[in-house]
Amino acid sequence: MRTSAIAASIAALALGLSGPALAQSPVIIKFSHVVATDTPKGKGAEKFKELAEKYTGGKVKVEVYPNSTLYKDKEELEALQLGSVQMLAPSNSKFGPLGIREFEVFDLPYILPDIKTLRKVTEGPLGTKLLKLLDAKGITGLAYWDNGFKQMSANKKLITPADYQGVKFRIQSSRVIQAQFKSLGSLPQVMAFSEVYQALQTGVVDGQENTWSNIYTQKMHEVQKYITETNHGYIGYVVIVNKKFWDDLPADIRDPLSKAMKEATDFSNAQSQKENDDALAEIKKSGKSEIIKLTADQDEAMRKAMEPVYKEAAGRIGQGLIDEFLKEAKSPTN
């Protein structure tokens, strides 16, 4: 009898919690990312929080965790799939290890010549097609956010392909980026973003590649003597949510969240170029790193040295997808 009474009490409590009390509780969205708040991605996350809470009338509370305070970049995708965190904005490179290698096309050196080409891809059918590939992994892709174009840094001058020989570079987990540095004779080492500053400071690695805003906000310029302005690659993010969590949201919550994400995306991408320009100006002002600009011939030599990466990547990414990207790059922009 006592056991039955306890069971009945628990059932009654559960029923009580499923009523108005539970309905009044806000939906919690934990949004984890690995960069500083004052970066384009960091500001985009804060803008989404502001708009999501506003447009849902308080039915949603967004908790933003910057700078790897919740999960490091190696851990966050698994955490999302398990439902431990609801929203992330990992770089395109992170989906390769998950088995969706097509996203590594964004890592190919010099494949995206400018922002207009990038936008044609991310806002067009090609970008939508890539996002749909995430469904099979229990992930819903919501948007593409820019960080910007990458520069090379090290404690030696990097001007010709030969200068990269034997240099230890920190890289994201990406077979394409690994192949890129191997084509230059460098020694790529996969490392979490949060560990890069200390690794550069202590000499665990000699150099790295990143956008101006990441270099500045992570203070990498303070421990790197030279930064070569190469614009050789692109760093972008895909804002993703746990698919089951997203699909289970009622329309009166999901629709305003979608609106908030679109506006946060426009805001974040508008910030990206400004943030990178401002960061470059601050790095120059600091005088701690010498900025190297390549001549046209030096730039062409770098491009030629990295050509083998395309052939190596075709077997993983698919030649058809690479060709689609190259076609967008060559077609006229409006």
Side-chain angles (χ1 to χ4, degrees), residues 63-123:
E63 298 174 355
V64 180
Y65 297 89
N67 267 328
S68 306
T69 52
L70 194 60
Y71 294 104
K72 292 186 178 181
D73 48 8
K74 287 182 180 178
E75 308 162 343
E76 59 179 14
L77 276 171
E78 183 181 3
L80 181 99
Q81 290 176 301
L82 292 172
S84 302
V85 63
Q86 287 73 45
M87 185 172 288
L88 306 172
S91 60
N92 296 301
S93 308
K94 297 299 187 297
F95 299 109
L98 199 63
I100 309 172
R101 298 166 181 167
E102 289 86 348
F103 277 90
E104 291 186 7
V105 70
F106 286 99
D107 291 336
L108 284 168
Y110 303 107
I111 196 164
L112 293 165
D114 51 46
I115 287 292
K116 284 186 176 180
T117 304
L118 168 68
R119 205 63 71 232
K120 282 199 302 176
V121 169
T122 58
E123 294 182 357

Short mmCIF file of all heavy atoms in Angstrom, two decimals, residues 63-123:
data_model
loop_
_atom_site.label_atom_id
_atom_site.label_comp_id
_atom_site.label_asym_id
_atom_site.label_seq_id
_atom_site.Cartn_x
_atom_site.Cartn_y
_atom_site.Cartn_z
N GLU A 63 20.86 31.32 -23.52
CA GLU A 63 22.07 31.43 -22.70
C GLU A 63 23.28 31.27 -23.62
O GLU A 63 23.48 30.21 -24.20
CB GLU A 63 22.09 30.35 -21.62
CG GLU A 63 20.92 30.43 -20.64
CD GLU A 63 20.88 29.27 -19.66
OE1 GLU A 63 21.72 28.33 -19.81
OE2 GLU A 63 20.02 29.28 -18.76
N VAL A 64 24.06 32.33 -23.77
CA VAL A 64 25.22 32.31 -24.66
C VAL A 64 26.48 32.01 -23.85
O VAL A 64 26.74 32.65 -22.83
CB VAL A 64 25.38 33.65 -25.41
CG1 VAL A 64 26.61 33.60 -26.33
CG2 VAL A 64 24.13 33.96 -26.21
N TYR A 65 27.25 31.03 -24.31
CA TYR A 65 28.50 30.63 -23.65
C TYR A 65 29.66 30.83 -24.63
O TYR A 65 29.94 29.97 -25.47
CB TYR A 65 28.43 29.17 -23.22
CG TYR A 65 27.37 28.87 -22.19
CD1 TYR A 65 26.07 28.54 -22.59
CD2 TYR A 65 27.65 28.94 -20.83
CE1 TYR A 65 25.08 28.28 -21.65
CE2 TYR A 65 26.66 28.68 -19.88
CZ TYR A 65 25.38 28.35 -20.30
OH TYR A 65 24.40 28.10 -19.37
N PRO A 66 30.37 31.97 -24.56
CA PRO A 66 31.48 32.24 -25.49
C PRO A 66 32.79 31.62 -25.02
O PRO A 66 32.87 31.05 -23.92
CB PRO A 66 31.56 33.77 -25.46
CG PRO A 66 31.17 34.12 -24.05
CD PRO A 66 30.13 33.10 -23.64
N ASN A 67 33.81 31.74 -25.85
CA ASN A 67 35.20 31.41 -25.47
C ASN A 67 35.37 30.00 -24.91
O ASN A 67 36.16 29.79 -23.97
CB ASN A 67 35.72 32.43 -24.45
CG ASN A 67 36.46 33.56 -25.13
OD1 ASN A 67 37.09 33.38 -26.16
ND2 ASN A 67 36.37 34.76 -24.56
N SER A 68 34.64 29.04 -25.43
CA SER A 68 34.77 27.63 -25.00
C SER A 68 34.46 27.42 -23.52
O SER A 68 34.96 26.47 -22.92
CB SER A 68 36.18 27.10 -25.31
OG SER A 68 36.53 27.28 -26.66
N THR A 69 33.65 28.30 -22.92
CA THR A 69 33.36 28.16 -21.49
C THR A 69 32.47 26.96 -21.19
O THR A 69 32.48 26.44 -20.07
CB THR A 69 32.69 29.44 -20.94
OG1 THR A 69 31.56 29.78 -21.75
CG2 THR A 69 33.66 30.60 -20.90
N LEU A 70 31.72 26.50 -22.18
CA LEU A 70 30.85 25.34 -21.98
C LEU A 70 31.46 24.09 -22.62
O LEU A 70 31.58 23.05 -21.97
CB LEU A 70 29.46 25.61 -22.56
CG LEU A 70 28.35 24.64 -22.15
CD1 LEU A 70 28.16 24.65 -20.63
CD2 LEU A 70 27.04 25.00 -22.85
N TYR A 71 31.84 24.21 -23.90
CA TYR A 71 32.46 23.08 -24.61
C TYR A 71 33.58 23.59 -25.51
O TYR A 71 33.45 24.66 -26.10
CB TYR A 71 31.45 22.33 -25.48
CG TYR A 71 30.36 21.64 -24.70
CD1 TYR A 71 29.08 22.18 -24.63
CD2 TYR A 71 30.61 20.44 -24.03
CE1 TYR A 71 28.08 21.56 -23.91
CE2 TYR A 71 29.62 19.82 -23.30
CZ TYR A 71 28.36 20.37 -23.25
OH TYR A 71 27.37 19.75 -22.52
N LYS A 72 34.64 22.81 -25.62
CA LYS A 72 35.68 23.11 -26.60
C LYS A 72 35.20 22.64 -27.97
O LYS A 72 34.26 21.87 -28.08
CB LYS A 72 37.00 22.43 -26.21
CG LYS A 72 37.63 23.00 -24.96
CD LYS A 72 38.99 22.38 -24.70
CE LYS A 72 39.63 23.00 -23.46
NZ LYS A 72 40.97 22.43 -23.19
N ASP A 73 35.91 23.11 -29.02
CA ASP A 73 35.40 22.81 -30.36
C ASP A 73 35.43 21.33 -30.71
O ASP A 73 34.67 20.89 -31.56
CB ASP A 73 36.12 23.65 -31.43
CG ASP A 73 37.63 23.64 -31.32
OD1 ASP A 73 38.15 22.87 -30.50
OD2 ASP A 73 38.27 24.40 -32.04
N LYS A 74 36.24 20.53 -30.03
CA LYS A 74 36.26 19.09 -30.30
C LYS A 74 35.08 18.39 -29.65
O LYS A 74 34.72 17.27 -30.03
CB LYS A 74 37.57 18.46 -29.79
CG LYS A 74 38.79 18.80 -30.62
CD LYS A 74 40.02 18.09 -30.08
CE LYS A 74 41.26 18.40 -30.88
NZ LYS A 74 42.47 17.74 -30.33
N GLU A 75 34.48 19.02 -28.64
CA GLU A 75 33.44 18.38 -27.86
C GLU A 75 32.02 18.82 -28.24
O GLU A 75 31.06 18.10 -28.00
CB GLU A 75 33.62 18.71 -26.37
CG GLU A 75 35.00 18.44 -25.83
CD GLU A 75 35.29 19.17 -24.52
OE1 GLU A 75 34.56 20.14 -24.20
OE2 GLU A 75 36.24 18.76 -23.85
N GLU A 76 31.91 20.00 -28.84
CA GLU A 76 30.59 20.63 -28.93
C GLU A 76 29.61 19.93 -29.86
O GLU A 76 28.42 19.88 -29.58
CB GLU A 76 30.72 22.11 -29.31
CG GLU A 76 31.42 22.37 -30.61
CD GLU A 76 31.50 23.86 -30.94
OE1 GLU A 76 31.25 24.69 -30.04
OE2 GLU A 76 31.80 24.19 -32.10
N LEU A 77 30.08 19.37 -30.97
CA LEU A 77 29.15 18.71 -31.89
C LEU A 77 28.50 17.48 -31.26
O LEU A 77 27.30 17.25 -31.42
CB LEU A 77 29.87 18.33 -33.19
CG LEU A 77 29.97 19.43 -34.24
CD1 LEU A 77 30.87 19.01 -35.38
CD2 LEU A 77 28.60 19.80 -34.77
N GLU A 78 29.31 16.70 -30.54
CA GLU A 78 28.74 15.53 -29.85
C GLU A 78 27.75 15.99 -28.79
O GLU A 78 26.68 15.37 -28.62
CB GLU A 78 29.85 14.70 -29.21
CG GLU A 78 29.33 13.43 -28.54
CD GLU A 78 30.41 12.60 -27.89
OE1 GLU A 78 31.58 13.03 -27.89
OE2 GLU A 78 30.08 11.52 -27.37
N ALA A 79 28.07 17.07 -28.09
CA ALA A 79 27.16 17.59 -27.07
C ALA A 79 25.83 18.02 -27.68
O ALA A 79 24.77 17.81 -27.11
CB ALA A 79 27.82 18.77 -26.34
N LEU A 80 25.90 18.61 -28.88
CA LEU A 80 24.67 19.02 -29.56
C LEU A 80 23.83 17.81 -29.95
O LEU A 80 22.62 17.79 -29.75
CB LEU A 80 25.00 19.84 -30.81
CG LEU A 80 23.76 20.33 -31.56
CD1 LEU A 80 23.46 21.78 -31.20
CD2 LEU A 80 23.92 20.21 -33.07
N GLN A 81 24.49 16.79 -30.51
CA GLN A 81 23.76 15.60 -30.92
C GLN A 81 23.11 14.89 -29.74
O GLN A 81 22.04 14.29 -29.87
CB GLN A 81 24.70 14.65 -31.66
CG GLN A 81 25.12 15.16 -33.04
CD GLN A 81 26.14 14.24 -33.71
OE1 GLN A 81 27.22 13.99 -33.17
NE2 GLN A 81 25.79 13.73 -34.86
N LEU A 82 23.76 14.98 -28.57
CA LEU A 82 23.22 14.35 -27.36
C LEU A 82 22.15 15.21 -26.69
O LEU A 82 21.48 14.77 -25.76
CB LEU A 82 24.35 14.08 -26.36
CG LEU A 82 25.37 13.01 -26.77
CD1 LEU A 82 26.53 12.98 -25.79
CD2 LEU A 82 24.70 11.63 -26.86
N GLY A 83 22.01 16.46 -27.15
CA GLY A 83 21.02 17.35 -26.56
C GLY A 83 21.51 18.09 -25.34
O GLY A 83 20.72 18.75 -24.65
N SER A 84 22.82 18.02 -25.03
CA SER A 84 23.37 18.73 -23.88
C SER A 84 23.45 20.23 -24.12
O SER A 84 23.51 21.03 -23.19
CB SER A 84 24.76 18.19 -23.53
OG SER A 84 24.70 16.81 -23.27
N VAL A 85 23.50 20.61 -25.39
CA VAL A 85 23.47 22.01 -25.80
C VAL A 85 22.57 22.07 -27.03
O VAL A 85 22.49 21.11 -27.79
CB VAL A 85 24.90 22.53 -26.08
CG1 VAL A 85 25.54 21.78 -27.24
CG2 VAL A 85 24.93 24.02 -26.35
N GLN A 86 21.87 23.18 -27.19
CA GLN A 86 20.88 23.23 -28.27
C GLN A 86 21.40 23.90 -29.54
O GLN A 86 20.98 23.56 -30.64
CB GLN A 86 19.62 23.99 -27.80
CG GLN A 86 18.77 23.23 -26.81
CD GLN A 86 19.41 23.14 -25.45
OE1 GLN A 86 19.93 24.13 -24.93
NE2 GLN A 86 19.40 21.95 -24.87
N MET A 87 22.31 24.85 -29.42
CA MET A 87 22.73 25.64 -30.58
C MET A 87 24.23 25.87 -30.58
O MET A 87 24.83 26.13 -29.52
CB MET A 87 21.97 26.97 -30.61
CG MET A 87 22.22 27.82 -31.83
SD MET A 87 21.13 29.29 -31.90
CE MET A 87 19.55 28.51 -32.29
N LEU A 88 24.82 25.77 -31.76
CA LEU A 88 26.26 26.01 -31.96
C LEU A 88 26.45 26.80 -33.24
O LEU A 88 25.54 26.92 -34.05
CB LEU A 88 27.01 24.68 -32.11
CG LEU A 88 26.88 23.59 -31.05
CD1 LEU A 88 27.58 22.32 -31.54
CD2 LEU A 88 27.50 24.05 -29.74
N ALA A 89 27.67 27.30 -33.42
CA ALA A 89 28.03 27.92 -34.69
C ALA A 89 29.44 27.48 -35.05
O ALA A 89 30.37 28.29 -35.10
CB ALA A 89 27.93 29.44 -34.61
N PRO A 90 29.64 26.17 -35.31
CA PRO A 90 30.99 25.67 -35.62
C PRO A 90 31.43 26.09 -37.01
O PRO A 90 30.62 26.40 -37.88
CB PRO A 90 30.81 24.14 -35.55
CG PRO A 90 29.37 23.92 -35.87
CD PRO A 90 28.63 25.10 -35.34
N SER A 91 32.73 26.11 -37.21
CA SER A 91 33.26 26.43 -38.53
C SER A 91 32.95 25.28 -39.49
O SER A 91 32.71 24.14 -39.08
CB SER A 91 34.76 26.68 -38.48
OG SER A 91 35.43 25.55 -38.01
N ASN A 92 32.95 25.58 -40.78
CA ASN A 92 32.62 24.59 -41.80
C ASN A 92 33.49 23.34 -41.69
O ASN A 92 33.05 22.23 -41.98
CB ASN A 92 32.80 25.21 -43.19
CG ASN A 92 31.83 26.34 -43.44
OD1 ASN A 92 30.62 26.15 -43.37
ND2 ASN A 92 32.33 27.52 -43.71
N SER A 93 34.72 23.53 -41.26
CA SER A 93 35.68 22.42 -41.18
C SER A 93 35.22 21.32 -40.22
O SER A 93 35.61 20.16 -40.38
CB SER A 93 37.04 22.93 -40.69
OG SER A 93 37.48 24.01 -41.46
N LYS A 94 34.44 21.68 -39.23
CA LYS A 94 34.10 20.73 -38.17
C LYS A 94 33.20 19.59 -38.64
O LYS A 94 33.08 18.56 -37.97
CB LYS A 94 33.40 21.46 -37.02
CG LYS A 94 34.26 22.49 -36.33
CD LYS A 94 35.50 21.88 -35.71
CE LYS A 94 36.29 22.87 -34.88
NZ LYS A 94 36.82 23.99 -35.63
N PHE A 95 32.55 19.74 -39.80
CA PHE A 95 31.61 18.72 -40.24
C PHE A 95 32.29 17.55 -40.97
O PHE A 95 31.69 16.49 -41.12
CB PHE A 95 30.52 19.34 -41.13
CG PHE A 95 29.71 20.38 -40.42
CD1 PHE A 95 29.84 21.72 -40.72
CD2 PHE A 95 28.85 20.02 -39.40
CE1 PHE A 95 29.11 22.69 -40.06
CE2 PHE A 95 28.11 20.97 -38.70
CZ PHE A 95 28.24 22.31 -39.04
N GLY A 96 33.53 17.75 -41.40
CA GLY A 96 34.27 16.67 -42.04
C GLY A 96 34.43 15.46 -41.14
O GLY A 96 34.08 14.33 -41.51
N PRO A 97 34.96 15.66 -39.91
CA PRO A 97 35.10 14.53 -38.98
C PRO A 97 33.78 13.87 -38.62
O PRO A 97 33.74 12.72 -38.21
CB PRO A 97 35.74 15.18 -37.74
CG PRO A 97 36.46 16.37 -38.26
CD PRO A 97 35.61 16.89 -39.38
N LEU A 98 32.68 14.60 -38.79
CA LEU A 98 31.35 14.06 -38.51
C LEU A 98 30.86 13.18 -39.66
O LEU A 98 29.85 12.50 -39.55
CB LEU A 98 30.37 15.22 -38.27
CG LEU A 98 29.07 14.93 -37.54
CD1 LEU A 98 29.34 14.46 -36.11
CD2 LEU A 98 28.18 16.17 -37.53
N GLY A 99 31.59 13.19 -40.77
CA GLY A 99 31.22 12.39 -41.93
C GLY A 99 30.58 13.16 -43.06
O GLY A 99 30.23 12.60 -44.09
N ILE A 100 30.41 14.47 -42.87
CA ILE A 100 29.83 15.31 -43.93
C ILE A 100 30.97 16.12 -44.53
O ILE A 100 31.19 17.29 -44.20
CB ILE A 100 28.71 16.22 -43.37
CG1 ILE A 100 27.72 15.38 -42.56
CG2 ILE A 100 27.98 16.92 -44.51
CD1 ILE A 100 26.69 16.19 -41.82
N ARG A 101 31.70 15.48 -45.40
CA ARG A 101 32.93 16.07 -45.92
C ARG A 101 32.70 17.21 -46.89
O ARG A 101 33.60 18.01 -47.15
CB ARG A 101 33.75 14.97 -46.60
CG ARG A 101 34.18 13.85 -45.64
CD ARG A 101 34.69 12.65 -46.38
NE ARG A 101 35.07 11.59 -45.45
CZ ARG A 101 35.32 10.33 -45.82
NH1 ARG A 101 35.18 9.99 -47.09
NH2 ARG A 101 35.67 9.44 -44.93
N GLU A 102 31.49 17.27 -47.43
CA GLU A 102 31.21 18.30 -48.44
C GLU A 102 31.47 19.71 -47.92
O GLU A 102 31.85 20.59 -48.69
CB GLU A 102 29.75 18.19 -48.92
CG GLU A 102 29.47 16.97 -49.79
CD GLU A 102 29.12 15.73 -48.98
OE1 GLU A 102 29.30 15.74 -47.73
OE2 GLU A 102 28.66 14.74 -49.59
N PHE A 103 31.29 19.94 -46.63
CA PHE A 103 31.49 21.28 -46.09
C PHE A 103 32.96 21.72 -46.16
O PHE A 103 33.26 22.91 -46.07
CB PHE A 103 30.99 21.37 -44.65
CG PHE A 103 29.51 21.60 -44.55
CD1 PHE A 103 28.63 20.54 -44.50
CD2 PHE A 103 28.99 22.89 -44.52
CE1 PHE A 103 27.26 20.75 -44.42
CE2 PHE A 103 27.62 23.11 -44.44
CZ PHE A 103 26.76 22.03 -44.39
N GLU A 104 33.85 20.77 -46.32
CA GLU A 104 35.27 21.11 -46.41
C GLU A 104 35.61 21.82 -47.72
O GLU A 104 36.71 22.34 -47.87
CB GLU A 104 36.14 19.86 -46.24
CG GLU A 104 36.09 19.31 -44.82
CD GLU A 104 37.07 18.16 -44.59
OE1 GLU A 104 37.87 17.87 -45.50
OE2 GLU A 104 37.03 17.56 -43.51
N VAL A 105 34.66 21.89 -48.64
CA VAL A 105 34.89 22.65 -49.88
C VAL A 105 35.19 24.11 -49.55
O VAL A 105 35.95 24.78 -50.25
CB VAL A 105 33.68 22.53 -50.83
CG1 VAL A 105 32.47 23.27 -50.30
CG2 VAL A 105 34.04 23.02 -52.23
N PHE A 106 34.60 24.62 -48.44
CA PHE A 106 34.86 26.00 -48.03
C PHE A 106 36.33 26.22 -47.63
O PHE A 106 36.80 27.35 -47.61
CB PHE A 106 33.97 26.38 -46.84
CG PHE A 106 32.52 26.61 -47.19
CD1 PHE A 106 31.58 25.61 -46.99
CD2 PHE A 106 32.10 27.82 -47.71
CE1 PHE A 106 30.24 25.83 -47.29
CE2 PHE A 106 30.76 28.05 -48.02
CZ PHE A 106 29.83 27.05 -47.81
N ASP A 107 37.01 25.11 -47.29
CA ASP A 107 38.41 25.22 -46.84
C ASP A 107 39.41 25.27 -47.99
O ASP A 107 40.60 25.55 -47.75
CB ASP A 107 38.77 24.03 -45.94
CG ASP A 107 38.05 24.05 -44.61
OD1 ASP A 107 37.64 25.16 -44.19
OD2 ASP A 107 37.88 22.98 -44.01
N LEU A 108 38.98 24.96 -49.20
CA LEU A 108 39.92 24.95 -50.31
C LEU A 108 40.54 26.33 -50.50
O LEU A 108 39.84 27.35 -50.50
CB LEU A 108 39.23 24.51 -51.61
CG LEU A 108 38.96 23.02 -51.72
CD1 LEU A 108 38.01 22.73 -52.87
CD2 LEU A 108 40.26 22.24 -51.91
N PRO A 109 41.86 26.39 -50.65
CA PRO A 109 42.52 27.69 -50.78
C PRO A 109 42.09 28.43 -52.04
O PRO A 109 42.01 27.84 -53.11
CB PRO A 109 44.01 27.35 -50.81
CG PRO A 109 44.08 25.91 -51.22
CD PRO A 109 42.83 25.28 -50.69
N TYR A 110 41.74 29.69 -51.88
CA TYR A 110 41.41 30.61 -52.97
C TYR A 110 40.14 30.24 -53.74
O TYR A 110 39.90 30.78 -54.81
CB TYR A 110 42.59 30.73 -53.95
CG TYR A 110 43.88 31.19 -53.31
CD1 TYR A 110 44.93 30.30 -53.10
CD2 TYR A 110 44.03 32.51 -52.90
CE1 TYR A 110 46.11 30.72 -52.50
CE2 TYR A 110 45.22 32.93 -52.30
CZ TYR A 110 46.25 32.04 -52.10
OH TYR A 110 47.42 32.46 -51.51
N ILE A 111 39.29 29.36 -53.20
CA ILE A 111 38.09 28.96 -53.95
C ILE A 111 37.01 30.05 -53.93
O ILE A 111 36.17 30.12 -54.83
CB ILE A 111 37.53 27.62 -53.45
CG1 ILE A 111 36.55 27.03 -54.48
CG2 ILE A 111 36.87 27.77 -52.07
CD1 ILE A 111 36.22 25.58 -54.29
N LEU A 112 37.02 30.88 -52.90
CA LEU A 112 36.04 31.97 -52.80
C LEU A 112 36.79 33.29 -52.92
O LEU A 112 37.42 33.74 -51.95
CB LEU A 112 35.29 31.89 -51.47
CG LEU A 112 34.37 30.69 -51.30
CD1 LEU A 112 33.97 30.52 -49.84
CD2 LEU A 112 33.14 30.84 -52.18
N PRO A 113 36.76 33.92 -54.08
CA PRO A 113 37.59 35.10 -54.31
C PRO A 113 37.13 36.35 -53.58
O PRO A 113 37.93 37.25 -53.33
CB PRO A 113 37.52 35.29 -55.82
CG PRO A 113 36.23 34.66 -56.23
CD PRO A 113 36.03 33.51 -55.29
N ASP A 114 35.85 36.44 -53.26
CA ASP A 114 35.35 37.66 -52.63
C ASP A 114 34.01 37.39 -51.94
O ASP A 114 33.43 36.31 -52.06
CB ASP A 114 35.19 38.79 -53.67
CG ASP A 114 34.39 38.34 -54.89
OD1 ASP A 114 33.34 37.70 -54.70
OD2 ASP A 114 34.82 38.61 -56.02
N ILE A 115 33.53 38.40 -51.21
CA ILE A 115 32.30 38.28 -50.44
C ILE A 115 31.08 38.07 -51.34
O ILE A 115 30.15 37.32 -50.99
CB ILE A 115 32.08 39.53 -49.56
CG1 ILE A 115 33.08 39.52 -48.39
CG2 ILE A 115 30.67 39.60 -49.02
CD1 ILE A 115 32.84 38.43 -47.38
N LYS A 116 31.06 38.71 -52.51
CA LYS A 116 29.90 38.55 -53.42
C LYS A 116 29.74 37.10 -53.85
O LYS A 116 28.63 36.57 -53.90
CB LYS A 116 30.07 39.46 -54.64
CG LYS A 116 29.77 40.93 -54.36
CD LYS A 116 29.81 41.73 -55.64
CE LYS A 116 29.43 43.19 -55.39
NZ LYS A 116 29.45 44.00 -56.64
N THR A 117 30.85 36.46 -54.17
CA THR A 117 30.79 35.05 -54.56
C THR A 117 30.33 34.19 -53.39
O THR A 117 29.50 33.29 -53.54
CB THR A 117 32.17 34.57 -55.05
OG1 THR A 117 32.61 35.39 -56.11
CG2 THR A 117 32.11 33.12 -55.51
N LEU A 118 30.88 34.49 -52.22
CA LEU A 118 30.49 33.77 -51.02
C LEU A 118 28.99 33.85 -50.78
O LEU A 118 28.32 32.86 -50.51
CB LEU A 118 31.24 34.35 -49.81
CG LEU A 118 30.75 33.92 -48.44
CD1 LEU A 118 31.03 32.45 -48.20
CD2 LEU A 118 31.39 34.78 -47.35
N ARG A 119 28.45 35.06 -50.92
CA ARG A 119 27.03 35.25 -50.66
C ARG A 119 26.16 34.52 -51.69
O ARG A 119 25.09 34.00 -51.36
CB ARG A 119 26.70 36.74 -50.68
CG ARG A 119 25.50 37.13 -49.89
CD ARG A 119 25.60 36.87 -48.39
NE ARG A 119 26.52 37.75 -47.72
CZ ARG A 119 27.51 37.33 -46.93
NH1 ARG A 119 27.68 36.04 -46.69
NH2 ARG A 119 28.31 38.17 -46.35
N LYS A 120 26.62 34.46 -52.93
CA LYS A 120 25.87 33.70 -53.95
C LYS A 120 25.77 32.23 -53.55
O LYS A 120 24.74 31.58 -53.80
CB LYS A 120 26.57 33.81 -55.31
CG LYS A 120 26.34 35.12 -56.02
CD LYS A 120 26.64 34.99 -57.51
CE LYS A 120 28.07 34.52 -57.77
NZ LYS A 120 28.33 34.32 -59.21
N VAL A 121 26.83 31.72 -52.94
CA VAL A 121 26.83 30.32 -52.52
C VAL A 121 25.94 30.12 -51.29
O VAL A 121 25.04 29.29 -51.29
CB VAL A 121 28.27 29.84 -52.21
CG1 VAL A 121 28.25 28.49 -51.52
CG2 VAL A 121 29.08 29.77 -53.50
N THR A 122 26.18 30.91 -50.24
CA THR A 122 25.48 30.66 -48.97
C THR A 122 24.00 31.01 -49.02
O THR A 122 23.20 30.43 -48.28
CB THR A 122 26.15 31.43 -47.81
OG1 THR A 122 26.15 32.83 -48.11
CG2 THR A 122 27.57 30.95 -47.61
N GLU A 123 23.61 31.97 -49.86
CA GLU A 123 22.22 32.37 -49.93
C GLU A 123 21.47 31.74 -51.11
O GLU A 123 20.29 32.02 -51.32
CB GLU A 123 22.12 33.90 -50.02
CG GLU A 123 22.62 34.59 -48.75
CD GLU A 123 22.48 36.10 -48.80
OE1 GLU A 123 22.05 36.63 -49.86
OE2 GLU A 123 22.81 36.76 -47.80
#
